[in-house]
Amino acid sequence: MKKYILSFILLIAVVKLSAAQDTVKQERTSFHFQQTIITQYKPSFNAPYSGQNSLSRKEETQSSITTTFFGAARLWKGAEAHFDPELSGGAGLSQTLGIAGFPNGETFRVGGIQNKIYIARMYFKQNFEWGNEKDTIESDANVLGGLKSKRYFSVVAGKFSMADFFDGNTFSHDPRMQFMNWALMDNAAWDYPANTRGYTMGLYTELGQPTWTLRFALTMVVTQANQSIWDSKIGKANTQALEYEKRYTLGGQKGTLRLLAFRNNGKFGNYNLAIAQNPTAPNVDSTQAYGRHKYGFGISADQYLTKDFGVFAKASYNDGHTETWFFTEIDRSLTFGGVLKGTSWKRGDDEAGLAFIGNGLSAPHRNYLAAGGYGFIIGDGKLNYAPEMIAELYYKINAYQKKFFLTPDYQFIVNPAYNKDRGPVNVFSIRAHVEF
């Protein structure tokens, strides 16, 4: 932990230099940086039994770190290239096992305790624009500053994160700056395509109009659940995701509604077949075969009620017949909450957030875990089923010129991994985040 703190101290000097730079009206190149450290602590809790994927019932502290450099360049009219090397390390509580709505969203990027460098994103983008209405785009990570038409069509090819483009909820999307829980990053029941670090390979298209956007992605699939080797049989192993976003004003305040549909295809295992083959110790991986799929839907909405206070809600579903492959073991989810800026107490760049999560499983998935089966995130050896319920509260402090933020966070988790024989669990966190 000490080396993480020292790295933040060194970065403050760099932040001072970056703060003095003027925004380029039409950027040709862009370089940004972020580093996030999250330390989480949980006291011991009641658990009469545990399995190989259970959250440890003992007192525990763990830390994670991610460091990302974001590079972008304009190549020719409408064309951009993006390259983001990333370093991650550390661990989640109990090796990121035992809670479907896991409390540290950054552990989705962490593949092991030792710090490792890898290519997070490397993609090419071509944008076609028409019309006279323009938006002024501020420079940001993976965003080149300048003017952009409100009417456009974009094509992206390469390696990226689906969260870069989909479900960009204003108040509940980024675990580096907002809520930390996995179930609040995106539609929680969307088993969205990713390798073990959260990135995927594929094609993405976007049609933009002044008040709405339509998105579609076609991506590859990894050969094993939550792993990093891509399946070369693209005709049999692929995913499709479609999202419609509508922007509007209500009572003079901005709001957005997003509708999502997805279908994953690949060599997936089937829960019912696993139970039929071995009722006392089912193994879903032993039933893997091409031709299996998972489909689902999601809705995400955010709405400002005043200029300083906004609310959000999300609901998502997947069919839950085949094993979870990419994200986490949630088949139904409902989340809602609100975020308040600190203007009224003269801390306009601070914010407080409160959210509630309800996660559930399909009947086949539930029966599989109750029979003693294991997924790649959860499994207590048996199951006294109840929905997993989580509340999260955070306060984000602007510690230095909107470049360095400190965020204390608390999460209360009832029925971890859908098991009412275990818990409740209290998780206390502190997040340090720097960006420029």
Side-chain angles (χ1 to χ4, degrees):
M1 186 62 192
K2 289 182 179 179
K3 63 180 179 181
Y4 297 159
I5 296 172
L6 287 172
S7 67
F8 265 93
I9 294 172
L10 292 172
L11 284 167
I12 291 298
V14 183
V15 171
K16 288 183 178 180
L17 294 175
S18 67
Q21 293 179 355
D22 293 329
T23 302
V24 180
K25 192 170 183 180
Q26 190 75 12
E27 282 189 315
R28 300 298 302 176
T29 59
S30 172
F31 299 96
H32 290 266
F33 173 91
Q34 80 80 32
Q35 185 176 81
T36 305
I37 298 169
I38 297 177
T39 296
Q40 296 192 316
Y41 163 78
K42 68 169 178 61
S44 60
F45 64 93
N46 180 63
Y49 57 87
S50 299
Q52 68 184 36
N53 283 358
S54 293
L55 186 74
S56 171
R57 61 184 180 181
K58 298 179 181 179
E59 182 181 27
E60 187 179 6
T61 301
Q62 294 288 354
S63 295
S64 66
I65 180 172
T66 62
T67 303
T68 317
F69 290 91
F70 304 90
R74 295 188 194 275
L75 304 179
W76 54 82
K77 185 176 181 179
E80 302 173 9
H82 294 258
F83 179 73
D84 299 352
E86 188 166 74
L87 176 148
S88 70
L93 296 170
S94 302
Q95 291 75 53
T96 319
L97 299 173
I99 307 174
F102 200 77
N104 183 350
E106 280 294 87
T107 56
F108 198 40
R109 312 291 185 203
V110 175
I113 295 175
Q114 298 299 319
N115 292 341
K116 291 188 177 180
I117 298 175
Y118 50 90
I119 297 173
R121 299 172 183 85
M122 186 168 61
Y123 62 85
F124 169 82
K125 179 180 180 180
Q126 179 67 57
N127 197 48
F128 304 94
E129 300 182 5
W130 62 93
N132 296 321
E133 295 178 90
K134 303 287 184 178
D135 279 327
T136 300
I137 307 300
E138 297 294 330
S139 178
D140 203 349
N142 291 322
V143 178
L144 287 161
L147 295 177
K148 180 180 178 180
S149 175
K150 292 185 177 182
R151 292 175 170 83
Y152 64 90
F153 178 72
S154 298
V155 180
V156 172
K159 186 178 183 181
F160 50 83
S161 169
M162 294 293 276
D164 296 338
F165 306 117
F166 286 84
D167 193 24
N169 193 288
T170 301
F171 307 113
S172 177
H173 186 60
D174 183 3
R176 292 170 176 167
M177 291 288 281
Q178 299 172 324
F179 296 100
M180 299 184 195
N181 194 281
W182 284 23
L184 295 169
M185 292 161 52
D186 297 284
N187 284 288
W190 177 23
D191 191 17
Y192 79 82
N195 61 12
T196 190
R197 298 191 186 277
Y199 301 101
T200 191
M201 299 279 290
L203 294 171
Y204 168 78
T205 61
E206 180 175 298
L207 174 63
Q209 294 293 298
T211 63
W212 59 267
T213 304
L214 186 65
R215 305 179 175 95
F216 175 77
L218 174 66
T219 78
M220 297 180 69
V221 169
V222 290
T223 56
Q224 292 294 325
N226 196 36
Q227 297 299 313
S228 297
I229 299 174
W230 301 105
D231 196 326
S232 60
K233 297 181 180 180
I234 299 176
K236 297 180 179 180
N238 57 73
T239 78
Q240 301 90 43
L242 179 69
E243 183 182 66
Y244 172 74
E245 174 182 292
K246 175 63 177 178
R247 297 173 293 278
Y248 59 89
T249 58
L250 184 64
Q253 300 293 335
K254 292 181 179 180
T256 310
L257 177 69
R258 301 171 188 84
L259 303 176
L260 171 76
F262 69 91
R263 180 183 171 97
N264 300 340
N265 308 286
K267 192 179 180 181
F268 307 149
N270 180 279
Y271 292 122
N272 286 337
L273 183 57
I275 296 171
Q277 289 182 351
N278 191 341
T280 59
N283 181 357
V284 70
D285 289 342
S286 68
T287 68
Q288 291 175 359
Y290 285 110
R292 306 270 172 75
H293 63 266
K294 185 189 294 290
Y295 69 86
F297 311 94
I299 182 170
S300 172
D302 55 70
Q303 177 67 56
Y304 277 98
L305 300 183
T306 71
K307 64 182 180 65
D308 294 321
F309 178 61
V311 294
F312 73 92
K314 302 182 188 185
S316 52
Y317 161 93
N318 71 62
D319 65 319
H321 294 294
T322 57
E323 64 184 311
T324 303
W325 202 252
F326 304 108
F327 184 40
T328 190
E329 298 188 52
I330 298 173
D331 300 323
R332 293 94 173 88
S333 184
L334 175 65
T335 65
F336 60 93
V339 174
L340 176 66
K341 294 182 180 179
T343 306
S344 61
W345 58 92
K346 304 185 187 307
R347 294 284 302 177
D349 296 316
D350 290 6
E351 67 180 36
L354 176 64
F356 300 92
I357 302 166
N359 297 325
L361 294 177
S362 67
H365 198 165
R366 184 188 317 169
N367 294 338
Y368 172 76
L369 293 173
Y374 291 95
F376 67 80
I377 294 293
I378 61 175
D380 297 322
K382 55 182 178 177
L383 181 66
N384 185 7
Y385 180 79
E388 185 180 76
M389 310 295 288
I390 304 172
E392 180 174 358
L393 173 68
Y394 76 85
Y395 185 83
K396 185 175 71 177
I397 303 164
N398 172 26
Y400 184 81
Q401 295 186 0
K402 294 193 288 187
K403 304 290 185 183
F404 179 42
F405 297 88
L406 290 172
T407 308
D409 181 282
Y410 170 67
Q411 296 178 57
F412 181 66
I413 303 165
V414 179
N415 309 322
Y418 311 99
N419 196 338
K420 60 184 176 182
D421 289 341
R422 296 170 54 83
V425 178
N426 296 278
V427 178
F428 302 88
S429 309
I430 184 71
R431 176 179 62 199
H433 173 82
V434 65
E435 63 178 35
F436 54 85

